[in-house]
Amino acid sequence: MNKFRFNIITLGVAGLLGLGSCSESFLDVNSKTNSNTDNFYKTEADAWRALIGCYNGWRQTSSSPGIGFYVASTIMGDECYAGVGNSDVRNYQVVDRFDQSESPADLQMYAQDWKMYYQGVYRCNELITREGQINWNSKDSNRGLYMGECHALRALLYFDMVRLWGNIPLFLEPVNENRAQADPAEVYAAIFEDLKYAIANIPDDANLEKSNFGRITKYAAESILARAYLFYTGYYGKEPGFTNEAGETVGVVTKAEALAAVEDVIASGNYELLDSYKDFWPASSLVANTTTAGWNEAASTYAGDANSEVVLSMNFTPMASYATDGAADGNRWQVMMGMRSPLSVVPYYCGWGACTVIPSYINSIYDSGDVRRTAGVIDIVGEGIGSDANFKPSYNDWREYTGYTVKKYSPIAFYQLEDGALVIKNANMSTGAGDMQINNCQPYNIMRYSDVLLMAAELGSPQAATYMHRIRSRAGLSDIPVNKENIMAERARELAFEGIRYWDLLRQGVDVMADAVVAGAGPVMNGGTPGQVSYDRSKIIRTQGLSQIPNDQIVLSNGVLKQNPGWAD
């Protein structure tokens, strides 16, 4: 019998180290010699190059084709419909509806995502298991920093996977074998152990410079620990902790520890809210001239990628081509967020029309005068886009069009003067040139400081009222009583369309999530024809909020892996 090969790319050292440069980023390592496991993992310089490979593996979960964690998170909740093209296959509708019957043949929707996540895990496992054979510099060693970052990266990868699929194999060593799905409690225990290691070993002042934008800090690890604690205790209804084969209890995190973690982030003084909410996102703050080249600098207020409110972001650079694996990585899911059109409507660039915003959602969560609505949502008619000649092809080809789409992660465009003529360019690309599919580069924000403040309030900080006041006063709103209901509602407004809302719903209970999603059913336009989006609550409940495991993984495992409930019906 042929030995089973798990369908996870397990790159050797040479494969993960031949990485190209990443302009304006720390990801700038080129392999000058061929490396392999016999001559590598010897020096601290080797460890640095391997760590770059781990970061690249993490980034490729978003720079490679696939559904994408952010897009899935945004359409599974009650904020957005799936959208995309009117004649496209309905795989994104499968994700949105939790219903395989929307596209019965789409059994591989997450195949690329699964592969990229486990590839990233493998790279982290390689470095972690070889730590002891590296000759670390005796003076000013970066051992704690590098290994802390590596453990945190593995935790981030597993935290995405276990939320998305729930029942996954757990690998904490670089092996390639047919392994059954682990108890989610064991996966979370590994996540918490990795994060605690990172918090203990990454120096307080490490990676805070703008030149290290995108690298993990102690404070990023503390913030993710609190997020993971809140999700685990909410979704599973118990405190973290797992008893391993040796009888040891691992992965224990208490509510007090989670609160202390985010309070430490706040007390560090390294982060602060921007004065203006909209300045966090390019499309919300940058204004293009409509009749002359370039940006209207007087009206543009973007705070920059590495601003004071960023706790952790994943950064990107333009890819040279589809065939390039590592020379640079564009944000492959961001093209999904552009308005459905072959043409652009300045200041927004074109894309594939995913995540059309549900009108009833924004009408219910935003109070009058809340500046976060216009910062987060493109009002196509209200902004005059619907009357633009370039928009008609978009409207005629857009599925589940609602008149609203996400602004925070919209690709952006500007006019550039070429040979005396104004030409629309994508501002997310390095020079305005390039391929819309692979060259969007806006950072994907993993954690904002406002999220840290809200988590601290939820976890019972004595300063909860102060933290809520900071959030609401920036939005132009008065104070409200600080209680669980109001904190969750504030999270919906503050963190809308950032890939967080769905997980906030799910950790309140599968029933709560399903009720919120079903409440979003409503009328849409499909290619200019009236339509209706509807949901089957019973099907959502059967999935328990988990996603489809790629069918090829189940087949390759000879049935060792089992499909999640609700997806095999």
Side-chain angles (χ1 to χ4, degrees), residues 100 140 174 213 248 309 347 410 419 461 526 569:
Q100 192 66 60
D140 299 325
F213 171 67
E248 303 165 324
E309 198 166 333
S410 172
D419 298 325
S461 170
N526 295 320
D569 300 348

Side-chain angles (χ1 to χ4, degrees), residues 69-71 73-74 79 163 227 409 444 495-503:
F69 184 82
Y70 167 75
V71 174
S73 299
T74 307
E79 300 170 302
R163 282 183 292 169
R227 178 180 286 175
Y409 284 114
Y444 169 31
L495 307 171
F497 317 112
E498 297 180 44
I500 294 171
R501 168 67 174 172
Y502 174 70
W503 309 110

Side-chain angles (χ1 to χ4, degrees), residues 77-256:
D78 58 347
E79 300 170 302
C80 296
Y81 297 133
V84 302
N86 194 46
S87 59
D88 287 350
V89 297
R90 298 185 64 84
N91 55 337
Y92 285 93
Q93 277 64 39
V94 173
V95 176
D96 179 37
R97 314 292 207 276
F98 298 82
D99 187 353
Q100 192 66 60
S101 69
E102 289 285 333
S103 187
D106 274 315
L107 304 177
Q108 293 292 105
M109 296 182 301
Y110 286 105
Q112 186 71 6
D113 305 89
W114 181 280
K115 181 172 67 175
M116 289 296 102
Y117 271 104
Y118 274 108
Q119 175 178 305
V121 165
Y122 187 91
R123 293 180 179 189
C124 294
N125 287 340
E126 277 277 9
L127 177 53
I128 289 169
T129 57
R130 295 177 185 275
E131 176 187 359
Q133 72 186 55
I134 295 169
N135 182 21
W136 299 93
N137 296 334
S138 58
K139 183 180 179 181
D140 299 325
S141 171
N142 286 303
R143 181 174 185 168
L145 173 60
Y146 292 175
M147 298 312 302
E149 290 177 82
C150 187
H151 279 271
L153 286 167
R154 186 170 68 177
L156 285 163
L157 290 161
Y158 269 125
F159 187 37
D160 282 359
M161 285 195 288
V162 74
R163 282 183 292 169
L164 196 61
W165 295 300
N167 304 295
I168 58 173
L170 176 64
F171 294 88
L172 299 178
E173 60 288 312
V175 297
N176 189 8
E177 65 184 35
N178 190 3
R179 184 171 291 185
Q181 289 136 305
D183 182 338
E186 183 179 7
V187 179
Y188 275 95
I191 291 169
F192 288 123
E193 289 297 312
D194 275 343
L195 291 171
K196 288 191 290 185
Y197 182 99
I199 293 165
N201 285 277
I202 298 176
D204 292 1
D205 59 352
N207 296 340
L208 294 172
E209 308 85 355
K210 288 188 177 181
S211 60
N212 282 321
F213 171 67
R215 287 182 70 178
I216 295 167
T217 65
K218 168 190 173 182
Y219 309 105
E222 288 179 319
S223 302
I224 297 299
L225 182 139
R227 178 180 286 175
Y229 173 85
L230 285 168
F231 183 81
Y232 182 83
T233 54
Y235 183 71
Y236 292 100
K238 59 183 180 180
E239 294 294 306
F242 180 79
T243 304
N244 60 25
E245 293 180 354
E248 303 165 324
T249 302
V250 294
V252 175
V253 176
T254 66
K255 183 177 181 180

Side-chain angles (χ1 to χ4, degrees), residues 493-514:
R493 292 183 282 267
E494 175 69 20
L495 307 171
F497 317 112
E498 297 180 44
I500 294 171
R501 168 67 174 172
Y502 174 70
W503 309 110
D504 277 354
L505 285 172
L506 192 56
R507 67 183 174 90
Q508 295 176 75
V510 175
D511 287 346
V512 172
M513 179 273 290

